[in-house]
Amino acid sequence: MSQKFPRLFFILLAVLFALNLLQASFTELIYDEAYYWYYAQDMAWGYFDHPPMVAFLIKLSSLLFNGELGVRLMSTLLSAGTYVLLWLLIDNPKKKDYVVHFFLLVFSFTLMNAYGFLTLPDTALLFFTALFLWLYKCFLKDEGITTTVGLGLVMAALMYSKYHAVLVILFVFLSNYRLIFNKKAWLAVILAVICYMPHFVWLYQNDFVSITFHLYERPNQAYKFDEFTLGFFLNNIVIIGLLFYWVYSAFFKFKATDKFSKALIYLVYGILIFFFISSFNRRVQAQWTIAISIPLAIIAFNHLLQNASSRKWIYRIGIVSLVLLMYARAWMIYQPLFPMFFETHGNKEWTEELKSKSGGIPVIFENSYRRSSMYEFYSGVPAISLNNFMYRKNQYSIDGSEERVRGEKVLYVSQYRKSGDISYMHLDSTVFHGIYIDDFQSYRKLECIVEKPETGIKHSLKVYNPYPFDVPLEQLKYTISYSNEHKQVKQMLSLKVENTAPQQSLLKSKDTISYNFELPLSTMENPSYFRIGISENNLPPGLNGKPIKIE
């Protein structure tokens, strides 16, 4: 072990690990972390937005610690593991003389730095990408059964981390097309598929809700070069940080000398080209290309070992980056260090204020899975997001969160109301108003299924009740929302429906009721989609139907 890792490496790794532990302990959660913490309260083989790895990591962390560290412990461990794997992936014997350069380089990768203590799906994606590449490198040298099994398990772990992992696996395999004739490679793939089968089953049981949403139902917007394509290029600078010039320069000068180095090139180019093309259709978020950080770090460090000029500049700029990132980390904990607010600021204050004003009763947030999960984490009070036609579906749309507050006295909080029984303000000066509801009842899981007419203008509407109880029809009102080509809602109208069984007063449990309706005339110019929603007990209409293309 000492031959592979000099003593200084372990000293710096211990310092980094301690730093990440302290940062994880004293930094308030960001909203996505709170949302994934909510995942972990009900472990499953899948969730609306992501596979279950992030929830699994949080559950493991919570077994040892409470509070923020109970969300982030595993992230600090995986981050340390990523540094170890990156070191192992570099063969140059000169690396032992440049341990400080190595840590300065990798620490400067901004998002990789942040994922050293934040718990997000990309945290595991980075670690398992590094582990996958290390095992692949071992596989190229020795196709032993241990390495083969390891590859299969890690490919499954990659896919359990984030759906983007399929690109990592795909482009590495494309770099070595002869693997298609390799029995051991197929064994690894088959093992990965078997291990991933529980998530496939979960997707099937939940009508492939994650795939459907990400590919078809996610709202978008008209193409803008500065926000879409230019934003893509800027994001790939941001994820590298101040060393982006030297890192990308090293990559463009890099030449493949073997199958492994070829895999590194394919991985970077493959992911960048894939999301560059995607940028003409939708805004590409910075973290979507985060997996390129692993091969870029390997290539950049190998380059600095061979190039004295680059080594000098990477060391100098790395120190500047270290100072700035440490200051940013301190600011994430203590806001007065910089005149800007971030997600890690003020969450304990607003949740405590709302809990005090509400009297500690359950809180329902209108269209905010972020605030509901953050509030529940810090207050310990049940909270849910009730999603309506102006928002999107999320985990609260498919789990049993409604039943946690059904029949309870609740506080319904919205940022769109002009007044209410109580009000409170976030640090960004957004004012929220809340009203009390004594006996809360919602039916957001009612499913609206529309069938277009073969002739005539009347559509058929079937409403299915998945609940284990009957729903009074008198409590339901039907609406229709019209959207543009990017599925952005522009108009909502009441919908008149004709009950084919007018004597029926209840929608029986696990039963379906049928209606006919005509599309009301929209004042919107050339609407592209319509969607049926149900307003129960005068609540804003839900997302009960799917967006339907208007021919």
Side-chain angles (χ1 to χ4, degrees), residues 83-306:
Y83 276 74
V84 170
L85 290 165
L86 284 171
W87 184 262
L88 289 174
L89 283 164
I90 297 161
D91 289 331
N92 195 319
K94 293 171 60 178
K95 68 181 181 180
K96 295 181 181 180
D97 299 324
Y98 298 100
V99 176
V100 174
H101 292 71
F102 172 81
F103 276 86
L104 285 174
L105 170 67
V106 180
F107 192 86
S108 295
F109 280 63
T110 50
L111 283 192
M112 198 187 306
N113 187 310
Y115 296 149
F117 59 92
L118 297 178
T119 298
L120 301 166
D122 305 277
T123 308
L125 180 69
L126 283 170
F127 171 77
F128 286 114
T129 297
L131 183 56
F132 172 65
L133 288 175
W134 179 71
L135 284 169
Y136 176 65
K137 190 174 184 179
C138 294
F139 183 82
L140 291 174
K141 296 178 180 178
D142 178 16
E143 299 177 5
I145 189 63
T146 302
T147 306
T148 301
V149 171
L151 266 178
L153 295 176
V154 171
M155 282 192 287
L158 263 172
M159 289 300 299
Y160 273 119
S161 299
K162 197 172 185 179
Y163 294 123
H164 293 80
V166 69
L167 299 177
V168 176
I169 299 169
L170 174 64
F171 291 124
V172 168
F173 273 72
L174 284 178
S175 72
N176 185 4
Y177 68 91
R178 291 188 179 277
L179 289 173
I180 198 171
F181 306 109
N182 189 306
K183 294 181 180 179
K184 293 289 182 63
W186 277 108
L187 176 60
V189 170
I190 292 170
L191 177 59
V193 171
I194 292 173
C195 292
Y196 202 61
M197 195 60 67
H199 184 64
F200 282 132
V201 173
W202 181 91
L203 285 171
Y204 174 78
Q205 292 173 339
N206 288 273
D207 298 321
F208 296 93
V209 62
S210 305
I211 308 300
T212 301
F213 172 75
H214 288 301
L215 293 182
Y216 304 112
E217 294 188 18
R218 180 191 288 271
N220 201 1
Q221 65 184 73
Y223 176 77
K224 296 179 181 179
F225 174 77
D226 57 334
E227 294 185 16
F228 284 51
T229 306
L230 180 59
F232 162 79
F233 287 108
L234 292 177
N235 285 340
N236 285 293
I237 292 174
V238 170
I239 65 173
I240 305 303
L242 294 182
L243 290 175
F244 75 91
Y245 170 79
W246 291 273
V247 171
Y248 283 114
S249 177
F251 172 70
F252 291 128
K253 294 176 182 177
F254 183 67
K255 303 296 182 183
T257 56
D258 53 28
K259 291 179 181 178
F260 180 73
S261 57
K262 185 179 179 181
L264 298 180
I265 294 175
Y266 267 63
L267 184 52
V268 176
Y269 273 124
I271 291 177
L272 289 179
I273 292 172
F274 178 88
F275 285 111
F276 171 70
I277 295 172
S278 298
S279 74
F280 291 97
N281 178 56
R282 65 180 66 247
R283 185 183 299 173
V284 176
Q285 298 178 21
Q287 69 271 20
W288 289 1
T289 60
I290 187 63
I292 68 172
S293 299
I294 300 300
L296 285 178
I298 298 168
I299 292 169
F301 188 62
N302 273 315
H303 177 74
L304 76 81
L305 292 177
Q306 300 165 1

Side-chain angles (χ1 to χ4, degrees), residues 503-523:
Q503 73 281 2
Q504 193 171 343
S505 61
L506 292 174
L507 177 51
K508 298 287 188 179
S509 172
K510 312 298 181 182
D511 201 0
T512 302
I513 190 170
S514 298
Y515 297 95
N516 293 319
F517 71 93
E518 297 179 12
L519 286 177
L521 184 63
S522 171
T523 57

